[in-house]
Amino acid sequence: MPSPSAMSIPKHIEFVEVGPRDGLQNEVVLISTDDKNALINRAIDAGARRIEVTSFVNPKRVPQMADAEAVCANLPDRDDVTYIGLVMNQRGAERAIATNKIDQLGAVAVATDSFAMANQGQSSDESVEAARAIIALAQAEGRTAQCTIAASFGCPFEGEVPDRRVLEMALAIAEAGPVEIALADTIGVGDPAHVARLIALVHKEMGPLPVRVHFHNTRNTGLANVWAAVTAGATVVDASIGGLGGCPFAPGAAGNVPSEDVVYMLERAGVSTGMNLDSLIQASHWLSDIMGRKLPGMVAQAPSFPKAA
Ligand code: ZN
């Protein structure tokens, strides 16, 4: 665990909105393509410059993402926005590249064999190889790629995940040349001390390659984990508007950390995110109406602070 003196508050982090993909993928009721594009446009208007817009996976397994190509066709042409498409294999990568809209492929490796099998039908080592192949394919096609290590902080089937396993995977994937590597708490079991320790370790060993973090708020440790991560060296943070989200293949996984709650916390603490909080709150209210229910995010339900002059 890093000593308190090893922690430092960054001036800036890079924000990634993942609501259109990770936020929506677990919803049973199909959201219209138009509403998905409206959510993406609201994220852009709120300042998001990296957005996970969809995933190119088997529609039989994840029906909510069956309109990936249609969502991409409606994306505004913005040179200043990086559109990320999540892919699990070569077929998904080829679909993403064929849209001509996806700037960056997001690959996924999984830290344990049981979860890798449930999520993508392969062993953990095979998922590392698949991620490396996706990164190579993206580069050959003039795109960038990044990789998320799912279940970095715990597995729904196997329990504890050793730090050294996550580090070993991160180093193996880093060799393939991704723009960053993310550690994901897919099922929301991490605590801030664990997060600080693992992020500091991976950050130190991977050198200049940025570390992104992806937290789910299943046990209400999400925001604390974001803070632990950014003060331990993570420079990129995933979040979803309203705190929507879950994983179809991870029993009991709840939503992502809410974008507006993350932005409120970081900006109040002096960490700039490039995001407009009021726009995010309005987007969260809009999304709540679309979903027909209250969303988990708390800042959008609270009075504004500080009060407008
Ligand atoms: Zn997730």
Side-chain angles (χ1 to χ4, degrees), residues 77-208:
D77 289 314
R78 296 274 305 235
D79 289 341
D80 59 339
V81 178
T82 298
Y83 296 124
I84 302 164
L86 191 86
V87 302
M88 299 290 185
N89 50 35
Q90 176 157 351
R91 161 119 182 84
E94 286 167 354
R95 281 177 61 200
I97 289 163
T99 64
N100 272 325
K101 290 283 197 162
I102 295 295
D103 303 297
Q104 186 168 88
L105 302 190
V108 181
V110 183
T112 64
D113 286 328
S114 310
F115 191 37
M117 201 53 75
N119 199 56
Q120 48 215 61
Q122 53 195 184
S123 71
S124 176
D125 282 344
E126 286 166 349
S127 75
V128 170
E129 280 317 305
R132 288 164 56 103
I134 288 165
I135 293 164
L137 180 61
Q139 288 165 343
E141 296 289 338
R143 311 306 201 278
T144 58
Q146 31 92 350
C147 182
T148 298
I149 302 178
S152 284
F153 299 92
C155 169
F157 310 109
E158 298 182 25
E160 304 290 354
V161 173
D163 290 2
R164 67 177 181 282
R165 174 59 187 156
V166 177
L167 176 62
E168 170 183 274
M169 291 174 73
L171 293 174
I173 297 160
E175 279 175 10
V179 297
E180 74 197 3
I181 287 180
L183 303 191
D185 188 5
T186 312
I187 56 170
V189 290
D191 67 84
H194 182 181
V195 168
R197 184 185 76 224
L198 186 55
I199 297 295
L201 174 69
V202 172
H203 175 56
K204 179 168 139 262
E205 298 293 328
M206 285 204 317

Side-chain angles (χ1 to χ4, degrees), residues 44-68:
I44 294 171
D45 290 345
R49 292 298 174 263
R50 285 182 70 193
I51 306 173
E52 194 175 83
V53 292
T54 189
S55 62
F56 297 85
V57 292
N58 185 342
K60 289 202 189 80
R61 296 199 79 208
V62 190
Q64 189 66 258
M65 296 291 120
D67 61 353

Side-chain angles (χ1 to χ4, degrees), residues 18 21-22 25 52 184-186 214-216 238 246-247 254 256:
V18 300
R21 199 285 302 179
D22 207 24
Q25 70 167 9
E52 194 175 83
D185 188 5
T186 312
H214 180 101
F215 293 115
H216 284 263
D238 283 358
C247 173
N256 291 277

Side-chain angles (χ1 to χ4, degrees), residues 242-259:
L244 212 59
C247 173
F249 312 110
N256 291 277
V257 283
S259 302

Side-chain angles (χ1 to χ4, degrees), residues 221-296:
T221 53
L223 273 185
N225 289 342
V226 170
W227 184 253
V230 301
T231 52
T235 53
V236 192
V237 178
D238 283 358
S240 89
I241 290 170
L244 212 59
C247 173
F249 312 110
N256 291 277
V257 283
S259 302
E260 58 275 21
D261 294 15
V262 168
V263 167
Y264 174 83
M265 175 184 76
L266 292 177
E267 296 273 348
R268 284 288 295 171
V271 182
S272 80
T273 62
M275 299 299 293
N276 181 295
L277 182 60
D278 289 338
S279 302
L280 276 179
I281 289 171
Q282 284 164 25
S284 182
H285 291 162
W286 171 84
L287 186 57
S288 174
D289 287 345
I290 295 289
M291 306 309 295
R293 65 173 195 269
K294 200 170 118 173
L295 300 179

